[in-house]
Amino acid sequence: MYLYTPDQIDRERAHHQAVIQGSEDVDVKRIGNLGELAFEQFCREYLPVEMWEWKNEEALRRCNPESFSGYDFEVFGYEIDVKTSRDVSAFRPANMLENDPDDDIVVMVWHRDNEDGLILLGWERTETLKSKVETQEEYSGEEPEKLAHLSARPMNELHDLGPNTAHLNQKPENPFSPGDRVTKAGDDDASVAVVVEVLPPEKNTTAFGQTMDGEAVNVAFPEMLDDGPGDWRTIPPAKLASYCDDQSIRLYTYKHTNLKHAEQPFTPGDHVIKPDYDDPDLAVVVETNDEHKKDISVAFLHQLEDVVDDDFYHQPNELSSFCDENGVSVYSFASSVLEFEHQY
């Protein structure tokens, strides 16, 4: 068996993709997405990446509807469907065959009630399931105990279907996650960017078809995100890739070794607090001082809302002039004493 524990990014993507898919039962679709993520992690850890393909990888990463495919994965040339359920009776041979009789192999994934852990119980060839169902139908009387068990082979036997290979661990090595603020390494004047998506290690090619020596990370720059139709800062990081794809916001691809976490991550429009205050007021970044990277100018949100008598939002590049024109006080702080107060 193989245990997979989804992080918050995966949980949010699995749910949002189910919503975008327009599924009649979002809960069932979300759980199915988590099952696919669990099997993808198993493949990444134990099977050579050039010998398996996840049909729904980009759709789930960008929370887009899935293109039609009769199966979820192709492994060593076999068509594999992943079945995920809290009720192990769903993995009885007859139940699985009723839903998907045409795939080569079925993988069985059990999840806990709160979906914080998924266990790959095993896999089985569809032909074997058919044989067992036929035996059960032909047997008269009480079902023997050996036929009552689920039909499943251990997960670690799956690699026996392919060529002999050593156990591999091809999980991403880069330290970045969607939502991280980064700059180009080795460039003191580099602009702050936002990580939108971290590509799987095997998808490390540029737009010109050249292979990168390192894992690829797609980023967007805040000023380009600001030009979008809404306040992107209210969007959870897991959904940024979906938002950028929907709004055709340009992404830039870097290899992860060319990026570093931003020492001064704030840009105009960010919501921040000064955490060493007992009850800190929420502020909005108005300006960053390019000459002195640690100087951040902010205006307090309650003062901005007093001007407009409503929930305040202004284009970030207009905040400085708005404060000047409306007499809103602006205060300067070192970036090191401020923290993000995210609005999603």
Side-chain angles (χ1 to χ4, degrees):
M1 293 188 291
Y2 180 85
L3 172 65
Y4 165 70
T5 303
D7 61 19
Q8 188 62 28
I9 294 289
D10 285 346
R11 289 163 69 96
E12 290 185 9
R13 280 180 172 167
H15 180 79
H16 192 55
Q17 194 281 330
V19 173
I20 297 299
Q21 186 79 26
S23 175
E24 294 181 0
D25 194 327
V26 171
D27 291 343
V28 169
K29 178 58 180 167
R30 178 185 65 251
I31 292 165
N33 286 341
L34 289 172
E36 290 188 39
L37 282 163
F39 185 64
E40 187 258 355
Q41 288 298 300
F42 170 82
C43 291
R44 191 165 298 289
E45 192 162 349
Y46 290 102
L47 307 177
V49 292
E50 65 273 12
M51 295 185 179
W52 58 270
E53 179 186 2
W54 183 17
K55 297 296 183 180
N56 301 322
E57 183 270 324
E58 184 169 316
L60 191 54
R61 173 159 48 84
R62 297 191 168 184
C63 301
N64 289 334
E66 298 171 9
S67 58
F68 177 77
S69 179
Y71 53 95
D72 300 321
F73 288 81
E74 184 173 314
V75 179
F76 302 130
Y78 295 95
E79 296 176 0
I80 292 185
D81 202 51
V82 179
K83 293 301 175 190
T84 310
S85 179
R86 178 67 177 87
D87 181 4
V88 292
S89 68
F91 304 135
R92 298 294 296 272
N95 293 341
M96 288 192 290
L97 287 176
E98 182 178 351
N99 294 321
D100 286 285
D102 299 324
D103 300 311
D104 297 325
I105 290 171
V106 177
V107 172
M108 291 153 264
V109 184
W110 177 86
H111 73 88
R112 296 196 292 214
D113 285 334
N114 57 5
E115 301 169 25
D116 65 340
L118 297 94
I119 296 176
L120 275 64
L121 298 177
W123 62 276
E124 191 55 88
R125 294 176 184 268
T126 304
E127 290 302 319
T128 300
L129 297 175
K130 291 178 180 178
S131 176
K132 183 167 185 178
V133 169
E134 291 172 359
T135 303
Q136 289 173 320
E137 290 174 347
E138 292 175 1
Y139 186 84
S140 59
E142 186 177 352
E143 185 180 62
E145 184 178 354
K146 65 180 181 180
L147 289 183
H149 292 167
L150 300 176
S151 179
R153 300 183 65 176
M155 289 307 304
N156 61 3
E157 290 185 4
L158 189 62
H159 63 74
D160 292 339
L161 295 176
N164 291 330
T165 57
H167 287 287
L168 304 172
N169 188 342
Q170 298 151 111
K171 292 185 177 180
E173 296 179 353
N174 80 79
F176 304 111
S177 295
D180 287 350
R181 299 292 177 92
V182 295
T183 57
K184 187 175 180 180
D187 186 349
D188 294 336
D189 294 324
S191 299
V192 173
V194 182
V195 174
V196 171
E197 55 186 356
V198 178
L199 302 184
E202 65 274 13
K203 296 184 182 294
N204 59 345
T205 56
T206 68
F208 303 102
Q210 300 298 314
T211 300
M212 288 185 174
D213 183 18
E215 295 168 11
V217 176
N218 281 341
V219 306
F221 290 95
E223 56 269 25
M224 300 177 72
L225 290 164
D226 291 337
D227 289 337
D231 185 359
W232 62 272
R233 291 173 175 83
T234 64
I235 300 173
K239 301 177 185 178
L240 278 176
S242 177
Y243 175 76
C244 290
D245 191 49
D246 290 344
Q247 303 303 326
S248 299
I249 293 173
R250 183 177 178 182
L251 302 181
Y252 295 82
T253 303
Y254 291 85
K255 65 179 181 180
H256 77 282
T257 52
N258 284 348
L259 295 174
K260 66 176 183 177
H261 287 100
E263 295 178 11
Q264 190 291 92
F266 305 111
T267 61
D270 291 337
H271 290 75
V272 296
I273 59 170
K274 195 169 185 290
D276 59 350
Y277 289 172
D278 290 337
D279 186 18
D281 289 329
L282 186 61
V284 180
V285 175
V286 173
E287 277 186 305
T288 59
N289 190 313
D290 292 333
E291 186 176 349
H292 303 94
K293 294 288 187 180
K294 293 186 178 180
D295 287 342
I296 305 297
S297 297
V298 306
F300 289 102
L301 186 61
H302 64 85
Q303 294 179 348
L304 293 168
E305 290 177 338
D306 286 343
V307 175
V308 298
D309 294 324
D310 202 352
D311 292 337
F312 180 84
Y313 177 74
H314 237 62
Q315 279 292 102
N317 62 358
E318 300 174 358
L319 282 171
S320 181
S321 59
F322 178 89
C323 292
D324 289 341
E325 293 167 3
N326 292 276
V328 177
S329 298
V330 174
Y331 305 86
S332 293
F333 295 92
S335 64
S336 58
V337 303
L338 299 177
E339 285 185 0
F340 282 108
E341 185 69 8
H342 296 295
Q343 299 303 295
Y344 48 78

